[in-house]
């Protein structure tokens, strides 16, 4: 079945620095979604990417969908303490969404 | 802003007991999902409903888990009997339909089995 892998599992970032988290699928995806889960909270939808090579930005967050539609990345610039949480990618195929294990981000001030 | 409602928020039970969780999706959302999330992992789909029909329950442990959405609105997930390994967060989510897969999650039910 479809598997979605995320790396790294943990990301410890100095406030103000940039980082990237990666998502890889074993199969070609129809689209990919990203969610953020704050500590003690529930996943909240961030964005959906549909087209090959698509790039979308939300303030300091840049999302990219690979040309082969099998991988994606999330890049955060100038990390802030509000960026703390776990970021999940979720790949879609045949109307099914498969979540990765997430990248848990902590920020040191 | 419309939200997905879940209750209870926390449940502690002893193994072999029965537990039930309730979910009320965003009004008008045809698709409802139950997920299990173990600490440190991503949500794992247990069952997906389209209106009142189950469209995917391939990962639901059917010997002990059951789910229903009788009127195509709110839903109940039941575990009987509960086992120690069932301790997890149970998340309910809804989406407008099967095509619009953007999912809106409820706050979850934290289950602890002793």
């Amino acid at each position: 079945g479809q598997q979605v892998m995320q790396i790294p599992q943990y990301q410890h970032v100095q406030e103000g620095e940039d980082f990237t988290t990666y998502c890889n699928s074993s199969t070609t995806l129809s689209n990919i979604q990203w969610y953020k889960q704050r500590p003690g909270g529930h996943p909240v939808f961030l964005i959906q990417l549909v087209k090959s090579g698509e790039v979308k930005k939300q303030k300091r967050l840049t999302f990219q969908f690979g040309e082969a539609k099998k991988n994606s990345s999330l890049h955060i610039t100038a990390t802030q303490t509000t960026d703390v949480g776990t970021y999940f990618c979720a790949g879609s195929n045949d109307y099914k969404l498969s979540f990765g294990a997430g990248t848990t981000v902590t920020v040191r001030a | 802003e419309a939200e997905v409602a879940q209750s209870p928020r926390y449940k502690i039970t002893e193994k072999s007991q029965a537990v039930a969780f309730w979910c009320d999706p965003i009004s008008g959302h045809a698709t409802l999902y139950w997920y299990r999330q173990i600490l440190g992992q991503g949500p794992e789909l247990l069952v997906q409903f389209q209106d009142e029909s189950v469209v995917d329950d391939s990962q639901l442990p059917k010997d002990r888990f059951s789910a229903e959405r009788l009127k195509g609105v709110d839903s109940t997930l039941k575990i009987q009997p509960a086992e120690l390994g069932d301790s997890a967060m149970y998340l309910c989510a809804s989406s407008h339909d099967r095509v619009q897969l953007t999912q809106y999650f409820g706050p979850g039910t934290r289950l602890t089995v002793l």
Side-chain angles (χ1 to χ4, degrees), chain A residues 9 33 35 37 42-43 45 48 88 92 94-97 99-101, chain B residues 35 37 40-43 48 56 91 98-99 101-103 105-107:
Chain A
Q9 185 176 3
Q33 301 179 11
Y35 292 77
Q37 185 172 22
H42 56 275
F45 174 78
Q48 174 173 283
F88 294 101
S92 169
D94 289 335
Y95 307 119
K96 294 182 182 181
L97 209 57
F99 282 81
Chain B
Y35 288 92
Q37 186 177 27
Q41 298 183 19
Q48 177 181 341
D56 186 356
L91 293 163
R98 288 186 69 194
V99 176
L101 278 177
T102 301
Q103 298 187 14
F105 284 83

Short mmCIF file of all heavy atoms in Angstrom, two decimals, chain A residues 9 33 35 37 42-43 45 48 88 92 94-97 99-101, chain B residues 35 37 40-43 48 56 91 98-99 101-103 105-107:
data_model
loop_
_atom_site.label_atom_id
_atom_site.label_comp_id
_atom_site.label_asym_id
_atom_site.label_seq_id
_atom_site.Cartn_x
_atom_site.Cartn_y
_atom_site.Cartn_z
N GLN A 9 12.69 13.13 11.78
CA GLN A 9 11.62 12.91 12.72
C GLN A 9 11.56 14.05 13.74
O GLN A 9 10.49 14.43 14.20
CB GLN A 9 11.81 11.58 13.45
CG GLN A 9 10.65 11.22 14.38
CD GLN A 9 10.81 9.86 15.01
OE1 GLN A 9 11.81 9.18 14.80
NE2 GLN A 9 9.83 9.45 15.79
N GLN A 33 -0.98 17.10 1.04
CA GLN A 33 -1.42 18.10 1.99
C GLN A 33 -0.44 18.17 3.15
O GLN A 33 0.25 17.19 3.45
CB GLN A 33 -2.82 17.77 2.52
CG GLN A 33 -3.88 17.67 1.42
CD GLN A 33 -5.24 17.31 1.95
OE1 GLN A 33 -5.49 17.32 3.16
NE2 GLN A 33 -6.18 17.02 1.05
N TYR A 35 -0.21 19.41 7.27
CA TYR A 35 -0.95 19.75 8.48
C TYR A 35 0.05 20.09 9.58
O TYR A 35 1.17 19.58 9.60
CB TYR A 35 -1.81 18.57 8.95
CG TYR A 35 -2.96 18.23 8.04
CD1 TYR A 35 -2.77 17.54 6.85
CD2 TYR A 35 -4.26 18.60 8.37
CE1 TYR A 35 -3.83 17.24 6.01
CE2 TYR A 35 -5.33 18.30 7.56
CZ TYR A 35 -5.11 17.61 6.37
OH TYR A 35 -6.16 17.32 5.55
N GLN A 37 0.31 20.21 13.87
CA GLN A 37 -0.31 19.82 15.14
C GLN A 37 0.51 20.44 16.27
O GLN A 37 1.67 20.07 16.48
CB GLN A 37 -0.36 18.30 15.27
CG GLN A 37 -1.11 17.81 16.50
CD GLN A 37 -1.30 16.29 16.49
OE1 GLN A 37 -0.57 15.57 15.81
NE2 GLN A 37 -2.28 15.80 17.22
N HIS A 42 -4.75 19.20 17.87
CA HIS A 42 -5.10 18.29 16.79
C HIS A 42 -4.54 18.83 15.48
O HIS A 42 -4.23 20.02 15.38
CB HIS A 42 -6.63 18.15 16.71
CG HIS A 42 -7.35 19.45 16.53
ND1 HIS A 42 -7.70 20.25 17.59
CD2 HIS A 42 -7.78 20.09 15.42
CE1 HIS A 42 -8.32 21.32 17.14
NE2 HIS A 42 -8.38 21.25 15.83
N PRO A 43 -4.42 17.97 14.47
CA PRO A 43 -3.87 18.44 13.19
C PRO A 43 -4.75 19.52 12.57
O PRO A 43 -5.98 19.41 12.56
CB PRO A 43 -3.86 17.18 12.33
CG PRO A 43 -3.83 16.04 13.31
CD PRO A 43 -4.65 16.52 14.47
N PHE A 45 -5.14 21.82 9.00
CA PHE A 45 -4.77 21.89 7.59
C PHE A 45 -3.99 23.17 7.31
O PHE A 45 -4.37 24.26 7.74
CB PHE A 45 -6.03 21.84 6.74
CG PHE A 45 -5.79 22.06 5.27
CD1 PHE A 45 -5.30 21.03 4.48
CD2 PHE A 45 -6.07 23.28 4.69
CE1 PHE A 45 -5.09 21.23 3.13
CE2 PHE A 45 -5.87 23.48 3.33
CZ PHE A 45 -5.38 22.46 2.55
N GLN A 48 -2.60 22.54 0.39
CA GLN A 48 -2.66 21.39 -0.52
C GLN A 48 -1.91 21.75 -1.79
O GLN A 48 -2.06 22.85 -2.33
CB GLN A 48 -4.11 21.03 -0.85
CG GLN A 48 -4.25 19.95 -1.90
CD GLN A 48 -5.67 19.50 -2.09
OE1 GLN A 48 -6.23 18.76 -1.28
NE2 GLN A 48 -6.29 19.95 -3.17
N PHE A 88 2.90 17.40 9.61
CA PHE A 88 2.60 16.15 8.89
C PHE A 88 2.36 16.44 7.42
O PHE A 88 1.64 17.39 7.08
CB PHE A 88 1.33 15.49 9.44
CG PHE A 88 1.44 14.99 10.85
CD1 PHE A 88 0.92 15.72 11.89
CD2 PHE A 88 2.04 13.77 11.12
CE1 PHE A 88 0.99 15.27 13.19
CE2 PHE A 88 2.12 13.30 12.42
CZ PHE A 88 1.61 14.06 13.45
N SER A 92 -2.24 11.86 -1.08
CA SER A 92 -3.55 11.41 -1.52
C SER A 92 -3.46 10.61 -2.80
O SER A 92 -2.75 10.98 -3.74
CB SER A 92 -4.44 12.63 -1.77
OG SER A 92 -5.62 12.25 -2.44
N ASP A 94 -6.36 7.78 -4.96
CA ASP A 94 -7.64 7.06 -4.92
C ASP A 94 -8.51 7.53 -3.77
O ASP A 94 -9.14 6.72 -3.08
CB ASP A 94 -7.39 5.55 -4.77
CG ASP A 94 -6.83 4.94 -6.04
OD1 ASP A 94 -7.07 5.52 -7.12
OD2 ASP A 94 -6.15 3.91 -5.94
N TYR A 95 -8.56 8.84 -3.56
CA TYR A 95 -9.41 9.46 -2.55
C TYR A 95 -9.07 9.01 -1.13
O TYR A 95 -9.89 9.10 -0.23
CB TYR A 95 -10.89 9.17 -2.83
CG TYR A 95 -11.29 9.53 -4.23
CD1 TYR A 95 -11.77 8.57 -5.10
CD2 TYR A 95 -11.16 10.83 -4.69
CE1 TYR A 95 -12.13 8.91 -6.39
CE2 TYR A 95 -11.51 11.18 -5.98
CZ TYR A 95 -12.00 10.20 -6.83
OH TYR A 95 -12.35 10.54 -8.10
N LYS A 96 -7.83 8.50 -0.95
CA LYS A 96 -7.39 8.12 0.38
C LYS A 96 -6.19 8.97 0.77
O LYS A 96 -5.33 9.26 -0.06
CB LYS A 96 -7.00 6.64 0.42
CG LYS A 96 -8.15 5.69 0.21
CD LYS A 96 -7.68 4.25 0.33
CE LYS A 96 -8.83 3.29 0.07
NZ LYS A 96 -8.39 1.87 0.20
N LEU A 97 -6.15 9.35 2.02
CA LEU A 97 -5.08 10.19 2.53
C LEU A 97 -4.22 9.36 3.47
O LEU A 97 -4.75 8.75 4.41
CB LEU A 97 -5.69 11.38 3.27
CG LEU A 97 -4.93 12.69 3.32
CD1 LEU A 97 -4.63 13.21 1.93
CD2 LEU A 97 -5.75 13.72 4.08
N PHE A 99 -1.02 9.60 6.05
CA PHE A 99 -0.19 10.54 6.78
C PHE A 99 1.20 9.99 7.04
O PHE A 99 1.36 8.79 7.33
CB PHE A 99 -0.83 10.87 8.14
CG PHE A 99 -1.97 11.84 8.06
CD1 PHE A 99 -3.24 11.41 7.70
CD2 PHE A 99 -1.78 13.18 8.33
CE1 PHE A 99 -4.30 12.30 7.62
CE2 PHE A 99 -2.83 14.08 8.26
CZ PHE A 99 -4.09 13.64 7.90
N GLY A 100 2.19 10.87 6.96
CA GLY A 100 3.51 10.51 7.42
C GLY A 100 3.57 10.56 8.93
O GLY A 100 2.59 10.96 9.59
N ALA A 101 4.72 10.20 9.48
CA ALA A 101 4.88 10.16 10.93
C ALA A 101 5.13 11.54 11.53
O ALA A 101 5.07 11.71 12.75
CB ALA A 101 6.00 9.21 11.31
N TYR B 35 -9.66 8.36 13.05
CA TYR B 35 -8.24 8.04 13.05
C TYR B 35 -7.81 7.64 14.46
O TYR B 35 -8.37 8.10 15.46
CB TYR B 35 -7.40 9.26 12.65
CG TYR B 35 -7.47 9.66 11.21
CD1 TYR B 35 -8.41 10.59 10.77
CD2 TYR B 35 -6.56 9.16 10.28
CE1 TYR B 35 -8.45 10.99 9.44
CE2 TYR B 35 -6.60 9.55 8.96
CZ TYR B 35 -7.54 10.47 8.54
OH TYR B 35 -7.57 10.86 7.23
N GLN B 37 -4.26 7.90 16.69
CA GLN B 37 -2.93 8.48 16.68
C GLN B 37 -2.19 8.06 17.95
O GLN B 37 -2.59 8.44 19.05
CB GLN B 37 -2.97 10.00 16.57
CG GLN B 37 -1.59 10.61 16.43
CD GLN B 37 -1.61 12.12 16.26
OE1 GLN B 37 -2.53 12.80 16.71
NE2 GLN B 37 -0.60 12.66 15.58
N GLY B 40 3.75 10.20 18.94
CA GLY B 40 4.94 10.18 18.12
C GLY B 40 4.72 9.68 16.70
O GLY B 40 5.68 9.55 15.93
N GLN B 41 3.46 9.39 16.37
CA GLN B 41 3.15 8.90 15.04
C GLN B 41 2.09 9.76 14.37
O GLN B 41 1.42 10.57 15.03
CB GLN B 41 2.69 7.44 15.11
CG GLN B 41 3.74 6.48 15.66
CD GLN B 41 3.27 5.05 15.66
OE1 GLN B 41 2.33 4.67 14.95
NE2 GLN B 41 3.93 4.21 16.43
N GLY B 42 1.92 9.54 13.08
CA GLY B 42 0.87 10.26 12.38
C GLY B 42 -0.47 9.57 12.54
O GLY B 42 -0.54 8.42 12.98
N PRO B 43 -1.54 10.26 12.22
CA PRO B 43 -2.88 9.65 12.31
C PRO B 43 -2.98 8.44 11.38
O PRO B 43 -2.54 8.49 10.23
CB PRO B 43 -3.81 10.76 11.86
CG PRO B 43 -3.04 12.03 12.07
CD PRO B 43 -1.62 11.67 11.80
N GLN B 48 -13.65 5.19 7.23
CA GLN B 48 -14.10 6.36 6.49
C GLN B 48 -15.54 6.14 6.05
O GLN B 48 -15.88 5.08 5.51
CB GLN B 48 -13.21 6.57 5.26
CG GLN B 48 -13.62 7.73 4.37
CD GLN B 48 -12.72 7.90 3.16
OE1 GLN B 48 -11.60 7.39 3.15
NE2 GLN B 48 -13.18 8.60 2.16
N ASP B 56 -14.30 2.70 3.61
CA ASP B 56 -12.99 2.11 3.89
C ASP B 56 -12.91 1.77 5.37
O ASP B 56 -12.95 2.67 6.19
CB ASP B 56 -11.86 3.05 3.50
CG ASP B 56 -10.48 2.42 3.64
OD1 ASP B 56 -10.38 1.27 4.12
OD2 ASP B 56 -9.49 3.07 3.26
N LEU B 91 -9.03 10.46 16.85
CA LEU B 91 -9.38 11.71 16.18
C LEU B 91 -10.50 11.47 15.17
O LEU B 91 -10.47 10.50 14.42
CB LEU B 91 -8.16 12.27 15.44
CG LEU B 91 -7.00 12.76 16.30
CD1 LEU B 91 -5.74 12.88 15.45
CD2 LEU B 91 -7.34 14.11 16.92
N ARG B 98 -15.57 13.22 -0.75
CA ARG B 98 -14.41 12.34 -0.97
C ARG B 98 -13.38 12.96 -1.89
O ARG B 98 -12.21 12.60 -1.88
CB ARG B 98 -14.87 11.00 -1.55
CG ARG B 98 -15.59 10.11 -0.60
CD ARG B 98 -15.87 8.78 -1.26
NE ARG B 98 -14.65 8.02 -1.48
CZ ARG B 98 -14.58 6.95 -2.26
NH1 ARG B 98 -15.64 6.55 -2.92
NH2 ARG B 98 -13.44 6.30 -2.39
N VAL B 99 -13.84 13.89 -2.74
CA VAL B 99 -12.91 14.51 -3.68
C VAL B 99 -12.14 15.65 -3.01
O VAL B 99 -10.93 15.76 -3.13
CB VAL B 99 -13.67 15.03 -4.92
CG1 VAL B 99 -12.72 15.78 -5.85
CG2 VAL B 99 -14.35 13.89 -5.63
N LEU B 101 -10.46 16.54 -0.29
CA LEU B 101 -9.93 15.76 0.81
C LEU B 101 -9.41 16.58 1.98
O LEU B 101 -8.93 16.01 2.95
CB LEU B 101 -8.81 14.85 0.31
CG LEU B 101 -9.26 13.54 -0.33
CD1 LEU B 101 -8.08 12.76 -0.85
CD2 LEU B 101 -10.05 12.69 0.66
N THR B 102 -9.46 17.91 1.88
CA THR B 102 -9.03 18.72 3.02
C THR B 102 -9.84 18.31 4.24
O THR B 102 -11.07 18.37 4.22
CB THR B 102 -9.24 20.20 2.73
OG1 THR B 102 -8.49 20.56 1.58
CG2 THR B 102 -8.80 21.04 3.92
N GLN B 103 -9.13 17.90 5.27
CA GLN B 103 -9.80 17.35 6.45
C GLN B 103 -9.71 18.31 7.63
O GLN B 103 -8.67 18.90 7.88
CB GLN B 103 -9.18 16.00 6.79
CG GLN B 103 -9.37 14.99 5.67
CD GLN B 103 -8.94 13.60 6.02
OE1 GLN B 103 -8.71 13.28 7.17
NE2 GLN B 103 -8.83 12.75 5.01
N PHE B 105 -10.12 18.42 11.62
CA PHE B 105 -10.06 17.50 12.74
C PHE B 105 -10.75 18.06 13.98
O PHE B 105 -10.72 19.27 14.23
CB PHE B 105 -8.60 17.20 13.10
CG PHE B 105 -7.93 16.25 12.16
CD1 PHE B 105 -7.39 16.70 10.97
CD2 PHE B 105 -7.84 14.90 12.45
CE1 PHE B 105 -6.77 15.82 10.08
CE2 PHE B 105 -7.22 14.02 11.59
CZ PHE B 105 -6.69 14.48 10.40
N GLY B 106 -11.34 17.16 14.74
CA GLY B 106 -11.85 17.52 16.05
C GLY B 106 -10.72 17.48 17.07
O GLY B 106 -9.59 17.12 16.74
N PRO B 107 -11.03 17.83 18.33
CA PRO B 107 -10.00 17.88 19.37
C PRO B 107 -9.50 16.51 19.82
O PRO B 107 -8.47 16.42 20.46
CB PRO B 107 -10.69 18.61 20.51
CG PRO B 107 -12.14 18.32 20.30
CD PRO B 107 -12.33 18.26 18.82
#
